[in-house]
Amino acid sequence: LPEEKEIGRFGRQHEAWLKKYHRFRYSHLIGSGEIIDYLASVDAEANALYESLIADFAKAEDVDENLKATDQMRWIQRIQSIANQAREIVEKEVIFR
């Protein structure tokens, strides 16, 4: 039995972008049966970059478990800001290319 591939939010976001801006490429991927593998690969690449960026930004800005323990609201605000920055980079470098 073929392995079920999980397509996460980044893969679905890329699929929507392909449908809107690259219809021929999208149709080719559908027709060749490669769409699921392709989207799973894009999703995995995007998630790896996203997690790496969050870890790097959090370390650079001292957003760590100590901050979480001492000032949870500040930690939430900072980690959300970091996540937004990471998402924008992932969208630019992986999703919308």
Side-chain angles (χ1 to χ4, degrees), residues 22-38:
H22 295 279
R23 290 182 190 151
F24 180 79
R25 184 174 176 202
Y26 181 73
S27 295
H28 173 75
L29 288 165
I30 292 282
S32 66
E34 298 172 4
I35 189 71
I36 299 299
D37 289 340
Y38 173 76

Side-chain angles (χ1 to χ4, degrees), residues 2-14:
E3 177 185 337
E4 280 289 317
K5 302 269 180 166
E6 183 74 24
I7 309 297
R9 73 174 175 165
F10 290 126
R12 290 188 307 273
Q13 191 176 10
H14 184 68

Side-chain angles (χ1 to χ4, degrees), residues 54-68 70 74-75 78-79 82:
I54 288 176
D56 291 348
F57 291 161
K59 183 176 181 182
E61 296 180 26
D62 292 324
V63 179
D64 56 15
E65 291 301 313
N66 184 46
L67 178 61
K68 187 176 181 180
T70 58
R74 186 164 180 237
W75 179 87
R78 305 252 326 258
I79 207 73
I82 288 168

Side-chain angles (χ1 to χ4, degrees), residues 27-53:
S27 295
H28 173 75
L29 288 165
I30 292 282
S32 66
E34 298 172 4
I35 189 71
I36 299 299
D37 289 340
Y38 173 76
L39 292 175
S41 174
V42 169
D43 191 65
E45 178 185 355
N47 275 306
L49 179 59
Y50 181 73
E51 295 298 327
S52 174
L53 288 169

